[in-house]
Amino acid sequence: MRYELAPSILAADFKELGAEMKRTEDNGAGYLHFDVMDGMFVPSISFGMPVLASIREATAQVKDVHLMVQEPIRYIEAFGEAGADLITVHLEACEDVAATIAKIRETGCKVGLSICPETDAAAVDPYLDQVDMILVMSVHPGFGGQKFIPESLDKIRQIRRTAEERGLSVDIEVDGGIYLTNVREVLDAGANIIVAGSAVFRGDAGKNTKDFMEIMREYE
Ligand code: DX5
Ligand code: ZN
């Protein structure tokens, strides 16, 4: 399996954003995680299309856009045009999940489907063969720097098991509260894409990325 680190720029120092991203790219992070919050689906507001459009040329990393937005179907085209490579929506935020997935496909982006901590792992079963990635939230979406919810590990295991039983090679990304101290548990459970915000950007982003990559390479 392929393993990827997706540093979440939510925790970055925005006046240094270009240089910070570059430090993660140079040290092996293949993805860049971009958290969009609308103040409705989640209480906070972060950033949107103009920021993505301005960083798209600055890095060759996969622009991994996590839409924490109510009825995300309204914004999919705009994020596709702004430079997303992968667009993830929340199952809980979509009135019509299948139509939202189809809309992402139309843009040419890869498709991710996410579930909050209170949503059952089985909720993604009907869509497993239609998406490229499942994003398991291991904190309540809305803020960086929260504590990892240990029950997420069982959800990862369950989704990986179901995908394997059905012969599907779906990526499983996990987001929230992941540090060098607990990333192995998340990988052992069956995840292959790791989001890390505070653990990468609070401190030396280059060195932190390198340390994560060393662990992830043990799994390849
Ligand atoms: C939370 C966001 C996360 C967040 C992770 O709503 O989706 O991507 O940035 O941050 P850390 O790694 O600090 O928990
Ligand atoms: Zn995220």
Side-chain angles (χ1 to χ4, degrees):
M1 207 180 332
R2 173 181 57 91
Y3 289 87
E4 300 279 3
L5 181 70
S8 165
I9 62 165
L10 191 63
D13 174 356
F14 290 105
K15 68 182 182 313
E16 304 283 341
L17 186 56
E20 286 282 88
M21 284 163 34
K22 186 96 177 62
R23 283 182 196 114
T24 70
E25 185 176 22
D26 289 349
N27 285 283
Y31 279 42
L32 191 74
H33 189 81
F34 191 88
D35 283 309
V36 181
M37 303 179 183
D38 67 347
M40 294 286 287
F41 182 67
V42 292
S44 192
I45 295 178
S46 58
F47 38 71
M49 293 83 80
V51 178
L52 182 60
S54 85
I55 63 174
R56 69 186 303 178
E57 304 300 340
T59 173
Q61 289 163 302
V62 171
K63 264 67 82 189
D64 165 20
V65 175
H66 177 194
L67 295 181
M68 287 164 275
V69 170
Q70 200 61 41
E71 277 304 322
I73 197 164
R74 299 175 293 151
Y75 294 103
I76 283 162
E77 216 173 301
F79 277 99
E81 279 167 13
D85 298 301
L86 160 65
I87 298 181
T88 299
V89 294
H90 271 266
L91 184 134
E92 305 87 352
C94 300
E95 199 169 297
D96 186 338
V97 176
T100 312
I101 290 172
K103 184 89 185 172
I104 302 174
R105 287 269 176 243
E106 259 174 52
T107 66
C109 290
K110 288 205 164 176
V111 180
L113 184 63
S114 182
I115 49 169
C116 291
E118 45 284 310
T119 302
D120 235 46
V124 302
D125 287 356
Y127 309 104
L128 268 187
D129 57 351
Q130 296 167 41
V131 302
D132 300 293
M133 184 180 91
I134 299 294
L135 166 53
V136 176
M137 287 305 300
S138 44
V139 298
H140 297 282
F143 302 96
Q146 302 181 72
K147 203 173 160 303
F148 184 87
I149 298 171
E151 287 76 19
S152 318
L153 294 171
D154 270 336
K155 291 169 74 174
I156 302 165
R157 280 184 209 109
Q158 189 180 326
I159 295 167
R160 180 58 76 205
R161 198 183 322 121
T162 308
E164 275 172 1
E165 281 167 6
R166 293 173 58 186
L168 301 168
S169 63
V170 67
D171 287 324
I172 301 181
E173 181 178 62
V174 184
D175 182 5
I178 305 180
Y179 292 85
L180 289 166
T181 47
N182 63 354
V183 65
R184 280 192 173 85
E185 293 169 52
V186 181
L187 295 166
D188 287 338
N192 67 312
I193 305 185
I194 298 294
V195 178
S198 310
V200 168
F201 290 109
R202 299 285 146 90
D204 181 336
K207 157 110 178 49
N208 294 336
T209 299
K210 207 164 151 206
D211 291 347
F212 267 106
M213 291 312 297
E214 250 168 47
I215 295 176
M216 298 184 64
R217 285 199 186 104
E218 291 169 18
Y219 284 78
E220 271 168 2

